[in-house]
């Protein structure tokens, strides 16, 4: 194994200027092949930007960058799996759910890794992968839907917010080990956060609650993804032999 890794290192090309710019602008990179697997790296960092542009001083992940990339990944015959790194304070609900649904519907194996924090709409993004990790110091914050701008004080406005909240809690429950009732209980806890209603789950507790699959780091996430790719390839070969 050491000789094989050495041979790979000796023939490995440095990243090109184009690849470096791709990382700088959109946080995306095709990782070098290991175990004969091609893995695409995606990052969701800062605020999830929706239809309105965030301020110039705010780091943001643009959904118009991620959606086409995810479609390209699904259509690619070269990509074997996707690794998603998250460190986000949340952001636009519609954009976040759109990205989460795209990730969840990929046929390629996907693994997410929460670094730092993954708050608000970052929750659905983290659990949308087939398997999720969180570092020991990582945090997940679950809180009710907030709205900004003009708010019409009628019952229909409240019902619309409740429907949006149900979409989020329903997605979280469907793609994690938590029940929707438990998610709502943590979401409405008034004793945890100083200036808000909700709950902060640190790494180990996020796993204990069933929101995230496992505590681990980048090595664990990559190893898991390679295992999932191998398993999918083996199942594909078996199905091909049966036909």
């Amino acid at each position: 194994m050491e000789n094989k890794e050495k041979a790979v290192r000796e023939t490995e090309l440095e990243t090109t200027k184009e690849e470096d710019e791709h990382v700088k602008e959109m946080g995306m990179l095709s990782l070098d092949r290991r175990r004969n697997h091609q893995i695409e790296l995606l990052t969701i960092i800062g605020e999830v930007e929706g239809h309105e542009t965030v301020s110039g001083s705010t780091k943001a992940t643009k959904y118009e960058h991620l959606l086409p990339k995810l479609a390209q990944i699904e259509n690619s015959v070269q990509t074997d799996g996707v690794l998603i790194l998250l460190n986000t304070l949340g952001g636009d609900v519609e954009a976040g759910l759109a990205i989460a649904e795209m990730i969840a519907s990929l046929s390629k194996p996907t693994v997410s890794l929460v670094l730092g924090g993954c708050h608000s709409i970052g929750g659905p993004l983290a659990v949308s992968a087939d398997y999720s990790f969180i570092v020991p110091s990582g945090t997940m914050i679950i809180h009710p839907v907030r709205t900004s701008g003009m708010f019409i004080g009628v019952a229909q406005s409240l019902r619309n917010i409740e429907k949006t909240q149900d979409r989020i809690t329903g997605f979280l429950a469907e793609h994690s080990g938590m029940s929707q009732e438990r998610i709502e209980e943590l979401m409405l806890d008034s004793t945890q956060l100083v200036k808000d209603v909700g709950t902060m789950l640190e790494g180990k507790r996020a796993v204990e609650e069933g929101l995230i699959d496992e505590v681990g780091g980048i090595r664990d996430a990559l190893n898991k993804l390679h295992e999932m790719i191998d398993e999918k390839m083996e199942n594909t070969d078996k199905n091909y032999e049966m036909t």
Side-chain angles (χ1 to χ4, degrees):
M1 180 61 71
E2 290 182 2
N3 291 334
K4 187 180 292 185
E5 287 292 326
K6 183 178 179 182
V8 170
R9 285 196 298 269
E10 289 175 349
T11 58
E12 198 171 84
L13 297 174
E14 295 292 332
T15 57
T16 65
K17 184 176 181 180
E18 182 181 351
E19 288 174 327
D20 289 339
E21 285 298 317
H22 205 51
V23 174
K24 181 179 178 182
E25 293 300 320
M26 291 187 282
M28 302 175 190
L29 180 68
S30 295
L31 300 182
D32 297 310
R33 295 183 75 86
R34 290 290 186 275
R35 306 187 199 178
N36 205 29
H37 300 158
Q38 184 69 44
I39 293 173
E40 289 292 326
L41 172 67
L42 304 179
T43 59
I44 299 176
I45 294 173
E47 184 173 342
V48 177
E49 184 181 273
H51 301 302
E52 296 182 4
T53 304
V54 301
S55 67
S57 61
T58 302
K59 290 186 180 293
T61 296
K62 301 177 183 293
Y63 81 117
E64 67 266 31
H65 289 168
L66 278 180
L67 295 185
K69 182 63 178 179
L70 289 167
Q72 181 187 53
I73 287 170
E74 177 61 25
N75 195 52
S76 172
V77 295
Q78 296 180 335
T79 302
D80 299 308
V82 185
L83 175 64
I84 305 151
L85 304 182
L86 301 108
N87 188 358
T88 175
L89 50 77
D92 187 280
V93 170
E94 299 291 339
L97 282 177
I99 297 168
E101 291 284 10
M102 283 283 282
I103 294 171
S105 64
L106 289 174
S107 63
K108 320 280 182 170
T110 54
V111 170
S112 65
L113 173 60
V114 174
L115 304 161
C118 192
H119 306 162
S120 192
I121 200 61
L125 291 167
V127 305
S128 63
D130 298 323
Y131 201 88
S132 57
F133 286 89
I134 185 170
V135 295
S137 61
T139 59
M140 307 282 293
I141 290 183
I142 304 173
H143 65 72
V145 172
R146 303 188 188 103
T147 185
S148 60
M150 185 178 70
F151 184 86
I152 301 175
V154 294
Q156 292 91 328
S157 295
L158 178 59
R159 282 200 296 270
N160 285 336
I161 291 177
E162 289 175 338
K163 287 178 181 178
T164 299
Q165 197 158 283
D166 286 342
R167 290 161 60 202
I168 295 171
T169 57
F171 187 94
L172 286 169
E174 183 179 354
H175 295 276
S176 74
M178 294 183 74
S179 68
Q180 191 164 354
E181 292 75 18
R182 178 57 177 163
I183 294 168
E184 291 172 352
E185 181 183 347
L186 295 177
M187 180 179 283
L188 300 174
D189 193 329
S190 60
T191 67
Q192 295 290 318
L193 304 179
V194 176
K195 295 182 179 180
D196 199 358
V197 175
T199 300
M200 176 185 287
L201 301 175
E202 296 178 347
K204 186 178 179 180
R205 190 183 169 199
V207 175
E208 291 173 347
E209 289 282 356
L211 184 60
I212 299 295
D213 292 311
E214 189 175 338
V215 174
I218 185 66
R219 176 180 59 188
D220 305 293
L222 278 171
N223 284 340
K224 181 65 177 180
L225 185 53
H226 283 300
E227 289 175 9
M228 293 166 64
I229 294 170
D230 283 335
E231 183 178 353
K232 182 180 179 181
M233 287 180 171
E234 288 175 7
N235 291 336
T236 301
D237 290 341
K238 288 179 182 178
N239 291 335
Y240 181 77
E241 290 171 1
M242 290 176 65
T243 57

